[in-house]
Amino acid sequence: MVSHSTRGRAPWFLVVPALLALLLLIAPLLALLTRAPWGSFTEILSSPVALDALRLSFITASIATVLATVLGVPLAWLIARSGLAGTGLARTLVLVPLLIPPVVSGVALLAAFGRRGTLGQFLYDQFGFQLPFTTAGVVLAEAFVAMPFLVIAVEGGFRSVNRQYEEAAATLGASSWTTFRRVTLPLIAPALGAGMVLCWARALGEFGATITFAGNFPGVTQTMPLAVYEALESDPSVAIALSLMLIAICVVVLFALRGNLMRPLAST
Amino acid sequence: MNKPVALITLASLAMTAALGLNASHTAASPSSSAPPSGSITVSAAASLTDVFPMIATAFMKRYPGTSVKFNFAGSSTLVQQVIAGAPVDVLATASEPTMSKAVKVGFVGRPLLFAKNSMAIAMPAGNPAKISTLSSLNRSGLLVAVCAVSVPCGTAARDLLMRNSVSVRPVTLELDVRAVLAKVIAGEVDAGIVYVTDVKSVGSKVSSIAIPSELNVTTTYSIATVNESGNSTAAQAFVDYVRFTTSAQGIMRAYGFAKPW
């Protein structure tokens, strides 16, 4: 891989660490394969706990991605295009959930949306509604952690769009909404697609914020990563089978993305 | 437990006193000439989070030149870590069945029982949901946190509810007892089933309901040296110190742990 991207003979002082890096990233995943309980694989994956966790993970990650798209695309536009004061700060703030430990995100979400949280207490007192320990709480935790991926990808998309197309549409009498819908959105489609897929994959893998904020109950808040963690305590082979399932999903997603969809990210 | 064990205890205390050593009573202990020194890592059940550092301080005072580090988590996690080769010297679990998993695969020495705990109901301070008995936990709409049955506090909570014929649908199955306690303190749940010692350790941050002993369930704490320990002398000394010294046992009592014998 490395030698293809460099012209002529690649220098050893780059090739050796590069191969080590590759080994570091891949060896643990391969090791997992050697420990996999192949004989009981289908049995484990068709157990109620695994099916519940898988179903819940797919549903919550998908809803979180929709939520992140509906809110994140306008935010990305605001950061990339509005020219308003403070967009630089906004862009930095968007990155915070990406960098802080997810368990810290969980604590922060509790402080805001917990039953005694700043907003959560209001929701609870007024409507008797609370987010922790609910599937909605899982979606919120996932959206919180995963939305930055989408915003950053889409923002890059907005920045790389040639604005002459939009100006031409406006000159021809298109309203700003029509221009956005018919010209800008199709132009950022690859960036949006990549952002949504990354956001979905990150949401699917969310653990720390989810267990801290939403708790752990099969069928309600126990997503795949939580099921992996709990299985590790009682039956590691189940944990390995579930882990391989998650890895397989991520690999499929990445293969689907290779090519056009990943390209916009390189420009961000 | 019973008389013979008590006698062995006495005998070993006597020997300890006579020899000035703490590692003389088990066949597993290595050469008993060198005093324990150096550092050890103790993997201990989450419910020991407050009491074990106090015991370690006393241990380090008793054996200058030793230092004790801790790794607290749910007992089942600790056992899996030891089986996976975690570099720890002592394992202390909150139940005998979790310890026996490590014994069965030959990763730890012979375990000693060193404390007993029982269950209590913890509520956020002031008990906003007005819970008065164990059986009121089945009230609909009540948010109850318990441990997952894969950890000792979860098995104990399940047994407690079964024993009292109370059916509860918890909102979350936490992976160690401190996580349950944290959710109670934060007021995110109305009640949690935790150990008596957890309630004691956090004082007025929670309200609690004691469960009469005839209705309660108990769990017995078990401690053992890890076979692959790089410092088995100090590991054995710590195990013996926890189990056999009056100072360690006194600290356990002060934190609300009962005698297992």
Side-chain angles (χ1 to χ4, degrees), chain B residues 238-252:
Chain B
F238 186 79
V239 168
D240 293 338
Y241 188 83
V242 168
R243 168 62 182 82
F244 294 114
T245 64
T246 46
S247 55
Q249 285 295 323
I251 295 170
M252 295 300 298

Side-chain angles (χ1 to χ4, degrees), chain A residues 110 113-117 124 130 132-133 207 211-218 220-222 226 229-230 232-236, chain B residues 74 76-77 80 101 124-125 128 143 145 148-151 169-176 183-190:
Chain A
L110 273 179
F113 298 106
R115 194 163 63 163
R116 301 226 174 135
Y124 186 69
Q130 81 164 37
F133 315 117
F207 173 78
I211 199 165
T212 310
F213 178 64
N216 172 45
F217 197 85
V220 184
T221 57
Q222 188 180 73
L226 273 62
Y229 193 71
E230 192 178 325
L232 200 52
E233 303 203 324
S234 45
D235 190 348
Chain B
S76 315
T77 304
Q80 294 301 338
K101 280 189 217 162
L143 305 183
V149 290
S150 56
V151 281
R169 185 181 154 83
V171 290
T172 184
L173 306 174
E174 296 294 323
L175 297 172
D176 72 66
K183 294 219 156 50
V184 172
I185 293 172
E188 293 300 334
V189 293
D190 299 311

Side-chain angles (χ1 to χ4, degrees), chain A residues 103-125 129-132 137 140-141 144 212-213, chain B residues 186 188:
Chain A
V103 61
V104 175
S105 302
V107 174
L109 286 169
L110 273 179
F113 298 106
R115 194 163 63 163
R116 301 226 174 135
T118 324
L119 291 165
Q121 182 150 31
F122 173 78
L123 285 178
Y124 186 69
D125 292 346
F129 175 73
Q130 81 164 37
L131 283 163
L140 182 67
F144 181 84
T212 310
F213 178 64
Chain B
E188 293 300 334

Side-chain angles (χ1 to χ4, degrees), chain B residues 140-228:
Chain B
S140 76
L142 211 58
L143 305 183
V144 180
V146 300
C147 289
V149 290
S150 56
V151 281
C153 57
T155 325
R158 181 197 62 194
D159 294 349
L160 177 72
L161 294 169
M162 270 166 60
R163 182 167 185 183
N164 292 276
S165 313
V166 183
S167 130
V168 172
R169 185 181 154 83
V171 290
T172 184
L173 306 174
E174 296 294 323
L175 297 172
D176 72 66
V177 71
R178 289 294 159 138
V180 173
L181 195 65
K183 294 219 156 50
V184 172
I185 293 172
E188 293 300 334
V189 293
D190 299 311
I193 299 179
V194 297
Y195 293 120
V196 169
T197 53
D198 295 311
V199 169
K200 203 175 159 89
S201 73
V202 293
S204 60
K205 284 189 210 159
V206 298
S207 298
S208 68
I209 297 171
I211 299 163
S213 60
E214 67 273 16
L215 302 175
N216 212 329
V217 297
T218 59
T219 183
T220 310
Y221 288 66
S222 193
I223 189 166
T225 55
V226 174
N227 289 342
E228 301 211 336

